[in-house]
């Protein structure tokens, strides 16, 4: 095939040809070994249908989709669960729009995904941010403590709800049980972005799901950790919400999704649920056992630190090296044909799956054990904390800033000005600063650290290097 005529396909073919062991999203792996996934793969085009008699309608499910959602609800332990073909992004939009009204004050974990910030701006809510705890070794933001929520509520008793992310991209989990008890006592709502925790309901060895811990609504991305095609996600609603509240969320879920949902994707979500119900528990047990052994072996490797602890998804592998993480990431791919999910600073994130071929875990262990022998290939990265440890001052709502004149200024003149663009390190998609927030010295330092390490940044405006867009005075 002339790749220059189909450059996108050409690029995907190149990546596929490299035959890398994938420790990144999506969560489907090793399809060849799974008859259920081979079955779907063979019907990829045949199942790509529209709403014709017999195929039901996602926006008004009454037939096979309704039947499938009943099984989904039971598997996920929710009051009701609904498929979403636009990822947890659209689920976050729907639950935030459906459960709050314009002008409401909400307590929001600061290290939440950009989709939560999008929803806050679109729904015109007023966020009061909750600062997460920080892992002292890995210098990563983790979860929000119950104490932080209680303190923020004391300062903002008008708050209508709390929006948290658990697990985080790094697999750290929050004590949702304690927080939901407090939130419910105050008559607030608890919404949880559980995009990375779709596997939780399927094994007692994993942290409890947000639904099981008393959340009113949650968003889960099937495609991140389950054997499911990209974009597959689920909205969970608690039976404790009123019929009106639930109807409002369903209303917004319809609005935020395409009117032409992919049946191939819906079928992939149903198969993922079925696979997890029939094989998930045993496979997760095997994965955790193997990963425990792998972590023990890696702890013996000079220079490597392995994240561990109770408040962590045991299927995720987070490593810290003395080196530039992006260089280690590139070396793993070039030399060992292993692709990690991401690197940030000195840290590397690997997404392991219950459906990985066990040989992939062996290959990962062998590659990481050989890291010290390749040490001269990497530069050492100074122990800087790339984190922002204070909450930025929100001077204007983001949705208003978009209508104000903005100008480009060099970093040296940016401190104290109001930011007019979004800067989002991607991955993990957690904004560093939003339009309407004051640019502090701390944010500038963090931005410079990210730029000098070459970390990819999504910016809503393309300023020259070393410049930022700010609101004109
Ligand atoms: C914490 C978190 N929430 C939500 C999302 C959005 O999920 P999706 O990609 O399914 O739209 C992501 C995506 O990376 C995420 O990391």
């Amino acid at each position: 095939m002339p790749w220059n005529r189909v450059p996108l396909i050409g690029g995907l073919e190149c990546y596929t040809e490299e035959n890398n062991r994938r420790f990144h999203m999506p969560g489907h792996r090793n399809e060849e070994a799974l008859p259920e996934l081979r079955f779907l793969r063979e019907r990829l085009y045949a199942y790509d249908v529209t709403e014709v008699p017999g195929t039901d309608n996602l926006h008004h499910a009454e037939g096979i989709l309704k039947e499938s959602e009943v099984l989904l609800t039971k598997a996920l332990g929710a009051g009701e669960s609904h498929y979403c073909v636009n990822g947890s992004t659209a689920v976050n939009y729907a639950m935030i729009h459906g459960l709050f009204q314009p002008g409401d004050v909400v307590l929001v974990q600061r290290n939440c995904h950009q989709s939560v910030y999008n929803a806050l701006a679109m729904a015109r809510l007023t966020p009061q941010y909750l600062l997460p705890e920080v892992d002292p070794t890995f210098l990563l933001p983790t979860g929000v403590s119950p104490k932080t929520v209680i303190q923020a509520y004391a300062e903002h008793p008008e708050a209508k709800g709390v929006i948290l992310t658990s697990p985080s991209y790094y697999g750290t989990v929050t004590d949702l049980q304690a927080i939901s008890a407090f939130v419910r006592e105050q008559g607030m709502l608890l919404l949880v972005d559980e995009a990375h925790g779709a596997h939780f309901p399927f094994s007692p060895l994993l942290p409890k799901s947000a639904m099981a811990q008393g959340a009113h609504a949650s968003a889960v991305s099937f495609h991140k950790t389950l054997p499911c095609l990209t974009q597959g996600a689920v909205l969970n609603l608690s039976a404790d919400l009123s019929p009106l509240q639930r109807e409002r969320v369903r209303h917004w879920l319809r609005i935020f999704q395409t009117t032409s949902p992919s049946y191939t994707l819906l079928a992939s979500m149903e198969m993922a649920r079925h696979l997890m119900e029939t094989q998930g528990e045993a496979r997760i047990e095997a994965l955790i056992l193997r990963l425990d052994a792998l972590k023990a072996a890696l702890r013996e490797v000079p220079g490597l630190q392995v994240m561990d602890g109770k408040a962590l998804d045991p299927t995720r592998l987070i490593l810290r090296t003395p080196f530039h993480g992006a260089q280690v990431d590139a070396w793993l791919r070039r030399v060992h044909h292993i692709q990690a999910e991401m690197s940030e600073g000195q840290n590397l994130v690997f997404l392991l799956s219950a459906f990985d071929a066990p040989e992939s875990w062996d290959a990962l262990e062998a590659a990481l054990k050989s890291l010290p022998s390749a040490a001269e290939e990497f530069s050492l990265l100074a122990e800087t904390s790339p984190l922002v440890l204070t909450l930025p001052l929100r001077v204007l709502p983001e949705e208003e800033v978009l209508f104000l004149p903005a100008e480009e200024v060099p970093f040296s003149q940016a401190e104290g000005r109001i930011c007019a663009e979004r800067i989002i390190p991607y991955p993990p998609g957690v904004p560093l600063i939003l339009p309407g927030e004051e640019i502090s010295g701390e944010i500038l330092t963090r931005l410079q650290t990210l730029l000098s390490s070459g970390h990819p940044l999504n910016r809503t405006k393309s300023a020259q290097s070393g410049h930022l867009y700010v609101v004109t005075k």
Side-chain angles (χ1 to χ4, degrees), residues 123-303:
R124 295 183 170 259
L125 304 181
T126 304
Q128 294 297 341
Y129 292 117
L130 305 164
L131 204 55
E133 306 289 300
V134 172
D135 182 286
T137 311
F138 286 74
L139 304 175
L140 293 173
T142 60
V144 165
S145 72
K147 199 169 130 225
T148 302
V149 177
I150 294 167
Q151 211 167 320
Y153 182 68
E155 288 164 26
H156 303 283
E158 71 283 18
K160 296 288 193 295
V162 179
I163 305 174
L164 300 178
T165 302
S166 181
S168 68
Y169 204 92
Y170 307 99
T172 58
V173 292
T174 297
D175 180 359
L176 295 175
Q177 194 107 36
I179 294 176
S180 76
F182 173 76
V183 165
R184 283 167 176 263
E185 256 170 49
Q186 313 312 320
M188 290 193 289
L189 294 170
L190 177 62
L191 279 58
V192 180
D193 176 350
E194 200 181 26
H196 290 270
H199 50 310
F200 286 3
F202 298 100
S203 164
L205 301 175
L206 296 174
K208 280 190 184 158
S209 72
M211 279 291 115
Q213 295 190 70
H216 289 98
S218 69
V220 290
S221 292
F222 265 33
H223 68 96
K224 292 193 195 300
T225 54
L226 303 186
C228 175
L229 293 175
T230 297
Q231 280 185 226
V234 171
L235 159 74
N236 291 313
L237 294 174
S238 152
D240 302 341
L241 290 169
S242 72
L244 197 62
Q245 284 172 314
R246 294 209 237 163
E247 179 42 44
R248 276 204 303 265
V249 182
R250 288 196 297 266
H251 170 85
W252 285 104
L253 188 64
R254 288 193 282 270
I255 288 180
F256 286 119
Q257 289 192 86
T258 169
T259 52
S260 309
S262 158
Y263 275 91
T264 307
L265 179 53
L266 290 164
S268 161
M269 274 192 269
E270 182 176 71
M271 190 63 96
R273 189 263 305 152
H274 172 66
L275 280 170
M276 289 308 286
E277 280 189 314
T278 50
Q279 306 180 18
E281 193 173 331
R283 283 178 173 272
I284 285 172
E285 189 178 354
L287 168 62
I288 293 176
L289 260 177
R290 180 65 185 90
L291 193 46
D292 280 350
L294 186 138
K295 286 178 180 173
L298 296 183
R299 267 189 218 100
E300 304 300 316
V301 177

Side-chain angles (χ1 to χ4, degrees), residues 18-45:
E18 275 183 35
N19 213 5
N20 295 306
R21 295 186 187 276
R22 300 180 184 189
F23 292 99
H24 57 76
M25 291 178 234
H28 60 79
R29 314 274 167 85
N30 200 19
E31 289 87 48
E32 212 44 58
L34 284 168
E36 294 84 351
L37 295 191
R38 283 205 317 268
F39 175 89
L40 280 188
R41 191 173 63 186
E42 280 154 21
R43 288 156 180 80
L44 188 72
Y45 279 93

